[in-house]
Amino acid sequence: MSELNGRTARIVDAVRTQLWPVPAIAVLVALAVGTALPALDATVDGKLPESVSALLFSGGPDAARAVLQAIAGSLITVTSLTFSLTVVTLQLASSQFSPRVLRTFAADRFVHYTLALFMSAFAFALTVLRSVRSSDGPTPGFVPEISVTVAFLLSIASILGLVLFLAHLTREIRAETMMQKVADETRAALNRNFPEEQGPQHNIPAAGPRAIRLESIRTGFLTAVDRAELLRLAVAEDVVIRMDALPGTSLVEGVPFATAWPLDSRTELDAEAEERLGKRSNAAIYTGSERTQVQDVAFGFRQLVDVAARALSPGVNDPTTAVHVLGHLSGLLCQVLGRMPGTRCLVDEQNVVRVVLGLPDMADFLELSLAQPRLYGVSDPAVAMRMLKLLQEVSWCDSAGAHRPEILDQAQRLEACIEAAEHLPHDQADLLGLARTLVAANTP
């Protein structure tokens, strides 16, 4: 999957994680079809073969109205029930797992399509109802047989959709399903931001003596950076721009988020150039009230760690869920190993570094994955052992030894926490034995 960037990425993500766009489009289509199909009915009335007519609705105007009214009345009730169940599911996800996983549930396409089916069938039945006419006086009666038959089929599909929706909800509220979906989304974010086929690595330039700080004009989470626009800005102003804020970090109005300096160290930026850099750099970044996974790779790790922390809280006391979370984190960390995480550089046509993008490196991912589980779960032997196994698995996948210092640092921290925790002698010996083996294996 190609890397999403800037405005397009934000629009796609915003639409994907909202409940209303797909149902709204379906209602508009239903209104259009509900208006056009009765016109087609009037055109082919009495001209259809008998074998086809036998399959269509054959009642009079009163029967057609009764059918359409029953369909519309029942579907609005079913739609209300579906909305209620969806809201309850979101509340359960927020309280049992983490408020940060709500985006994952809100992006569920099955829910979107189910709501779209119910609402479009309701809108279609109401629209067709307007075209049914009784034979009063000189006005001939009209029953849109095809349209009423389509409304009937939509109602049957809605019944099946409700059954499947209920079955879907029972699966979605399981912790294992939620963890798998977050892990899959995180892998997709890794593929976008750390592709397997990357260009040559460049030396990260140091800030020049005439560097200036670029201040944010908004407050919120840094959700995305328009990398192409930032590169054009750097080339136009003949500067190097370094993003000091990582995607997902909180920006504050008036606080610097980036640094810029002239490519030629003998040149000094004037006041007009500084103003242009400030305005255009702020236009190239996007902020929001919540984090997203468009360019914020660490957000998926944050979601999983939050689930583990909630499971390890005294009120929940569910170490098994924390162990499962650590299993998903281990798989993600092993995938990160082959992607050369960390700072990335964008170059101009002359292969000169113009933009330095801040992205999390392996040390950041390891600390994010283990800091809170280590704090809240080291007293549980099963959780402590799974954290050690995680480091062992990451160490095994790091066959080239490129990240041994980071793994060693985490192993030493975990060893110190295990020594300070109160375990039964047998558990303590097993845990310390594995911790010391990890430390020895990753010590230069």
Side-chain angles (χ1 to χ4, degrees):
M1 182 177 181
S2 61
E3 181 179 321
L4 293 176
N5 196 8
R7 187 184 301 275
T8 303
R10 296 178 70 248
I11 294 174
V12 171
D13 185 72
V15 172
R16 186 181 66 88
T17 56
Q18 298 291 329
L19 287 174
W20 64 267
V22 173
I25 293 173
V27 168
L28 293 176
V29 172
L31 291 174
V33 175
T35 302
L37 199 57
L40 175 64
D41 264 303
T43 302
V44 302
D45 188 26
K47 301 177 182 179
L48 294 174
E50 185 176 349
S51 58
V52 175
S53 299
L55 299 176
L56 302 178
F57 179 78
S58 58
D62 292 338
R65 285 197 183 96
V67 170
L68 293 173
Q69 288 171 353
I71 291 173
S74 60
L75 283 176
I76 196 62
T77 303
V78 170
T79 303
S80 301
L81 173 63
T82 305
F83 271 113
S84 300
L85 291 175
T86 302
V87 171
V88 170
T89 302
L90 294 175
Q91 291 176 337
L92 287 174
S94 177
S95 60
Q96 292 186 2
F97 304 131
S98 167
R100 275 152 293 281
V101 303
L102 292 184
R103 290 180 60 84
T104 302
F105 282 95
D108 190 340
R109 284 299 184 195
F110 193 95
V111 176
H112 296 181
Y113 295 144
T114 302
L115 290 174
L117 173 63
F118 295 163
M119 296 180 71
S120 61
F122 169 74
F124 180 81
L126 280 183
T127 306
V128 172
L129 184 60
R130 297 168 57 250
S131 64
V132 179
R133 296 191 304 269
S134 300
S135 55
D136 297 332
T139 305
F142 173 65
V143 176
E145 297 176 351
I146 299 176
S147 302
V148 176
T149 304
V150 171
F152 170 76
L153 294 176
L154 284 174
S155 67
I156 298 299
S158 299
I159 295 173
L160 296 176
L162 178 62
V163 174
L164 295 176
F165 176 75
L166 295 175
H168 179 75
L169 274 190
T170 58
R171 184 175 63 87
E172 288 298 300
I173 60 176
R174 297 174 185 171
E176 289 77 8
T177 303
M178 185 277 303
M179 287 186 285
Q180 186 62 55
K181 291 185 70 172
V182 173
D184 291 341
E185 289 188 358
T186 307
R187 288 189 179 90
L190 283 170
N191 292 334
R192 286 194 299 270
N193 293 277
F194 299 120
E196 289 183 304
E197 297 181 1
Q198 299 191 46
Q201 298 299 302
H202 299 83
N203 294 326
I204 301 173
R210 304 182 188 278
I212 63 170
R213 305 299 300 277
L214 305 178
E215 298 178 356
S216 174
I217 61 174
R218 296 181 296 273
T219 296
F221 291 105
L222 177 60
T223 58
V225 177
D226 192 332
R227 299 170 181 177
E229 177 60 27
L230 211 57
L231 179 60
R232 284 193 292 267
L233 171 60
V235 172
E237 299 293 339
D238 199 24
V239 298
V240 179
I241 300 176
R242 184 186 68 205
M243 286 293 300
D244 299 322
L246 276 65
T249 56
S250 180
L251 301 185
V252 178
E253 182 179 355
V255 176
F257 67 92
T259 304
W261 62 91
L263 190 62
D264 186 350
S265 59
R266 296 167 296 180
T267 305
E268 186 172 358
L269 296 172
D270 56 29
E272 292 183 358
E274 291 185 18
E275 184 178 358
R276 289 195 302 269
L277 282 167
K279 288 183 178 179
R280 290 188 60 184
S281 62
N282 272 280
I285 65 171
Y286 303 97
T287 59
S289 59
E290 60 180 349
R291 297 172 66 176
T292 70
Q293 286 195 347
V294 176
Q295 292 182 0
D296 184 4
V297 185
F299 183 48
F301 287 80
R302 176 77 273 162
Q303 289 175 297
L304 289 171
V305 171
D306 280 353
V307 174
R310 182 67 62 90
L312 292 171
S313 64
V316 179
N317 196 22
D318 181 17
T320 301
T321 295
V323 169
H324 290 174
V325 168
L326 290 168
H328 285 287
L329 290 171
S330 179
L332 291 172
L333 288 169
C334 288
Q335 182 176 351
V336 170
L337 286 172
R339 301 304 179 95
M340 291 184 292
T343 302
R344 292 184 60 189
C345 297
L346 304 181
V347 299
D348 58 17
E349 295 180 354
Q350 287 72 41
N351 204 35
V352 177
V353 174
R354 291 289 191 168
V355 177
V356 180
L357 297 171
L359 291 172
D361 56 19
M362 194 64 195
D364 296 324
F365 285 121
L366 281 170
E367 178 65 12
L368 177 57
S369 300
L370 293 175
Q372 289 189 350
R374 185 174 60 235
L375 176 63
Y376 302 120
V378 73
S379 59
D380 188 290
V383 177
M385 180 62 72
R386 190 63 188 90
M387 285 189 281
L388 290 169
K389 290 288 187 181
L390 180 149
L391 288 176
Q392 189 178 49
E393 291 158 357
V394 173
S395 179
W396 176 266
C397 292
D398 184 29
S399 56
H403 300 287
R404 281 185 181 178
E406 296 93 330
I407 299 172
L408 175 61
D409 177 58
Q410 292 295 329
Q412 289 173 334
R413 295 188 192 189
L414 195 49
E415 180 187 8
C417 290
I418 292 171
E419 288 178 342
E422 295 182 1
H423 293 290
L424 294 175
H426 179 75
D427 294 333
Q428 187 90 346
D430 289 344
L431 293 171
L432 287 177
L434 181 53
R436 288 163 183 166
T437 300
L438 274 169
V439 170
N442 289 279
T443 300

